[in-house]
Amino acid sequence: MPLNHAIRRCAASLGLRCLLAMGARARALHWTHQLLTADAANTHALATRAHLLVEQGQPEAALADLARLVQLVPQQATAWFNLGFLQESLGRLDESTRSLARATELDPAMDRAWYGLGLCHIRLAQWDEAVSALQRGTELQPLSPHAWYQLARVHLERGRPAEAQRVLTHLRGFEPKVADQLERETGLRAAGT
């Protein structure tokens, strides 16, 4: 990339960040449109516009930007995660599963991608895959109450209350409020309570 182009792109990125810091979301969105008209491969502008489009209630347009982003930076786990997250929120579970799986391949330590993958598998009633993904997520982020909570629920769905109870007992050790919620919702009781 020529030096002048790199300087212009850096200045444009800084201007965009300033607009966002000032809370000028509509101006920032307009700015991203201009930046992408001038340089369709500006990945920062593309990712920012996708985020702003979601905020504006335009998830389909954001989805197109994120799909373009993963084409431009196919080795960036965060891009795949963001695409998968939006796909999941739109109910495109098969697509989301593939995108989140790709994020975990690129960055096996991305606990949020494992958690999202687990949620997709839950919604698809793929219990074994959900357990695997959620367990990996809890290994990476052992104090994530949400992953432990979902893991217990999956064990119950699979008809394995003893495993769910072990998870609940573990959860009670570091997040008693979430454990209480799980008990209320399921009737399950932690060992020793």
Side-chain angles (χ1 to χ4, degrees):
M1 175 183 325
L3 183 60
N4 285 340
H5 182 72
I7 291 171
R8 280 195 306 274
R9 186 180 264 194
C10 184
S13 179
L14 182 59
L16 183 55
R17 289 173 199 249
C18 288
L19 287 172
L20 292 170
M22 293 185 311
R25 313 303 264 186
R27 288 196 62 207
L29 182 59
H30 179 72
W31 186 259
T32 61
H33 291 314
Q34 288 181 324
L35 292 174
L36 289 166
T37 299
D39 178 7
N42 184 329
T43 57
H44 180 256
L46 200 54
T48 303
R49 183 170 75 176
H51 177 81
L52 292 168
L53 287 168
V54 168
E55 285 183 357
Q56 297 285 324
Q58 300 177 50
E60 294 296 332
L63 195 61
D65 279 355
L66 291 173
R68 173 81 176 123
L69 184 63
V70 297
Q71 289 175 348
L72 292 170
V73 287
Q75 298 303 313
Q76 189 181 82
T78 303
W80 285 100
F81 170 78
N82 289 334
L83 177 61
F85 181 82
L86 185 54
Q87 288 166 328
E88 191 269 338
S89 71
L90 293 172
R92 298 177 179 194
L93 300 177
D94 290 329
E95 295 171 33
S96 177
T97 300
R98 286 189 296 274
S99 296
L100 291 169
R102 182 68 181 135
T104 64
E105 290 167 13
L106 294 168
D107 184 359
M110 185 182 282
D111 62 282
R112 66 187 186 273
W114 286 106
Y115 178 71
L117 186 57
L119 293 179
C120 284
H121 287 306
I122 288 170
R123 289 182 65 189
L124 291 166
Q126 298 169 338
W127 307 122
D128 292 338
E129 295 87 344
V131 167
S132 293
L134 292 169
Q135 283 178 334
R136 182 66 182 130
T138 60
E139 289 166 9
L140 293 167
Q141 188 58 264
L143 297 179
S144 170
H146 304 294
W148 287 105
Y149 172 92
Q150 293 297 338
L151 186 57
R153 295 206 56 116
V154 170
H155 284 313
L156 285 174
E157 284 290 333
R158 296 170 73 205
R160 298 185 175 157
E163 290 179 42
Q165 186 179 35
R166 278 193 291 278
V167 171
L168 176 60
T169 300
H170 176 76
L171 183 59
R172 178 158 300 292
F174 71 93
E175 195 62 59
K177 288 182 180 180
V178 176
D180 288 345
Q181 178 183 343
L182 185 60
E183 286 181 342
R184 281 191 307 275
E185 290 176 0
T186 65
L188 190 64
R189 294 285 172 247
T193 60

